[in-house]
Amino acid sequence: MLRTLLVLAILCTCAGAAEPSAVPGAADVDRYVALFNQDLYALDASGRVATPMTGAFDAPASDIARDVARSTWFSLLVFLPFLVLPQVLLIWIIFKYRRRNDGRAPATFMGNHKLELVWTAIPCVALVIVGIPMWDLLVKMEAPPADQRRDMVVEVRGKSFAWDYKYQRLGGDRPTRREDQFEIGQDVVGVQEPLVLVKDRRVILNLTSNDVNHAWWIPAFGVKKDTIKGRYTNIWFTPEKTGFYKGQCAELCGQGHGVMLISALVVEEADFDAWETVQRHRADTVRTWSVLSGTELDGAALEGAIADYLKKGDTPERRFALRFWVASNFASLARKPGELKGDALQAAIIARRSAVDKLMARTASPAGIVN
Ligand SMILES: [Cu+2]
């Protein structure tokens, strides 16, 4: 009997270990903070911008960007001879037929109908050759895809001087009920949160504005669109590479236009699930953070805040969300100029994060969740 139980226990443990965990645990927190809390302004060790703003031509990151790059290179190839050839001819003629003081008079002539017809007709043909695929691409970019059932849909709202993202549909096989929508608001002055997208999942952006005209532009995706109050404009694309992408408001909109930055994060499906989880529990973590961000750490208040948070729901997802937001907020705080700096700040962060860990481990739920 004892042997059977022992074998069963070992089997259960092995099965548990082999199965990948769907919910990220405490060990994943720092990886996700590094992924989701990327610094728009970060510099690398040699003082250069850590993530440069890439373009559609040097690093296209979506299907639309690839099309834009291809058609632009094609038009450049077709038009390049019109730029180069006249200049080469001009320089050659200047030297070949220069005045030589040998008594010869230069020839004078006016007009040549045949030549004029040819040099009008050839550029016209070139324009048509370039125009047809360009027109096709413009129509494709303007027309929303016919079958949108599996697409992600996000409402983008420009405001002086930040962006709000409302996820109206998450795409894939996800539910599209009203209660599954959620909104990521931005501080008007503060860290601009990225638009988070899934690699290879098409996204449709419905854009509008709260005030003046703005324009949502991320060059690597090959899309740029005005956002206008009282009206919706649309763009769509399929992000094809994971990564952190930078953009900028592209419509002169006022005093803060220069800092109206845009960023987007393209992640794998599993990482998007983790991000969605932490967003859904974000509001509940605010109280714990307000205790942690005080100058003096109030142990009793922290214990109360964590206990209340877990009382509202003690699941591995909620525990992960609390740990994530604590770590993520500290990561943002460490970037802001404050009284504490460098090692002192790092020590304070480590101490406060471990206080949270200890309290959470102590507040194990009846189900035995200690993660
Ligand atoms: Cu602007």
Side-chain angles (χ1 to χ4, degrees):
M1 180 68 184
L2 193 67
R3 251 179 77 183
T4 321
L5 277 176
L6 205 66
V7 169
L8 268 174
I10 289 168
L11 276 175
C12 286
T13 318
C14 291
E19 204 172 278
S21 167
V23 181
D28 301 309
V29 168
D30 288 317
R31 182 176 85 77
Y32 278 115
V33 169
L35 178 64
F36 295 132
N37 192 335
Q38 297 200 37
D39 185 359
L40 259 170
Y41 311 95
L43 303 177
D44 66 15
S46 44
R48 284 174 307 210
V49 178
T51 315
M53 189 160 95
T54 50
F57 307 116
D58 52 327
S62 80
D63 48 353
I64 295 289
R66 266 192 299 112
D67 286 350
V68 168
R70 198 184 307 128
S71 58
T72 308
W73 284 119
F74 174 66
S75 63
L76 190 69
L77 202 74
V78 172
F79 291 135
L80 204 62
F82 295 94
L83 182 76
V84 175
L85 219 67
Q87 306 307 318
V88 172
L89 268 173
L90 185 68
I91 293 165
W92 181 69
I93 285 168
I94 286 171
F95 277 94
K96 170 102 173 130
Y97 298 104
R98 68 188 182 278
R99 186 197 288 261
R100 291 172 196 263
N101 292 328
D102 57 2
R104 284 191 289 175
T108 53
F109 46 83
M110 281 284 287
N112 184 325
H113 280 131
K114 257 190 215 160
L115 196 63
E116 281 163 23
L117 272 173
V118 170
W119 79 41
T120 307
I122 292 176
C124 283
V125 172
L127 274 175
V128 173
I129 290 172
V130 169
I132 290 171
M134 286 280 191
W135 178 260
D136 255 12
L137 178 58
L138 276 177
V139 170
K140 181 179 162 184
M141 288 166 84
E142 289 295 321
D147 183 2
Q148 304 182 359
R149 278 172 301 179
R150 294 185 57 78
D151 296 344
M152 184 185 281
V153 179
V154 184
E155 183 188 282
V156 178
R157 196 169 273 275
K159 59 188 184 189
S160 302
F161 300 95
W163 302 92
D164 286 342
Y165 299 116
K166 187 174 179 187
Y167 289 73
Q168 294 174 318
R169 214 162 61 203
L170 297 173
D173 298 317
R174 285 157 186 280
T176 54
R177 295 170 304 168
R178 195 152 193 86
E179 57 269 31
D180 290 311
Q181 299 185 350
F182 61 96
E183 191 161 355
I184 309 298
Q186 315 260 359
D187 289 343
V188 171
V189 183
V191 177
Q192 299 279 304
E193 297 205 26
L195 172 68
V196 180
L197 303 172
V198 180
K199 183 180 166 246
D200 295 327
R201 179 171 301 163
R202 191 163 61 193
V203 61
I204 297 169
L205 302 182
N206 298 323
L207 309 112
T208 190
S209 170
N210 275 0
D211 38 54
V212 296
N213 291 1
H214 304 280
W216 197 89
W217 177 47
I218 291 195
F221 295 146
V223 290
K224 173 156 78 173
K225 200 76 171 180
D226 281 1
T227 69
I228 300 156
K229 188 181 178 181
R231 174 190 306 188
Y232 279 97
T233 51
N234 324 86
I235 44 175
W236 67 270
F237 58 93
T238 313
E240 292 179 327
K241 290 176 193 163
T242 56
F244 185 59
Y245 299 96
K246 287 183 175 179
Q248 160 79 51
C249 173
E251 182 76 60
L252 191 56
C253 56
Q255 214 177 15
H257 169 69
V259 289
M260 197 170 167
L261 306 179
I262 305 170
S263 66
L265 184 65
V266 179
V267 295
E268 299 288 354
E269 175 108 35
D271 293 338
F272 185 83
D273 292 347
W275 177 79
E276 193 198 333
T277 301
V278 297
Q279 292 297 338
R280 289 197 187 283
H281 301 297
R282 184 177 194 172
D284 290 348
T285 66
V286 170
R287 201 180 131 207
T288 306
W289 174 246
S290 71
V291 176
L292 283 168
S293 55
T295 2
E296 292 296 321
L297 183 60
D298 181 343
L302 183 64
E303 194 170 349
I306 291 176
D308 279 357
Y309 175 85
L310 294 176
K311 217 181 281 170
K312 246 180 124 178
D314 189 356
T315 59
E317 287 95 342
R318 280 181 65 80
R319 284 178 173 250
F320 170 68
L322 183 59
R323 286 175 195 279
F324 173 85
W325 285 114
V326 166
S328 178
N329 291 341
F330 273 130
S332 299
L333 194 70
R335 293 202 289 266
K336 284 184 185 160
E339 286 186 14
L340 282 177
K341 278 189 193 72
D343 293 345
L345 180 62
Q346 280 309 317
I349 289 173
I350 290 166
R352 287 177 187 209
R353 276 187 65 179
S354 73
V356 172
D357 284 344
K358 272 184 205 148
L359 282 168
M360 279 175 80
R362 226 199 295 162
T363 327
S365 71
I369 301 163
V370 287
N371 188 16

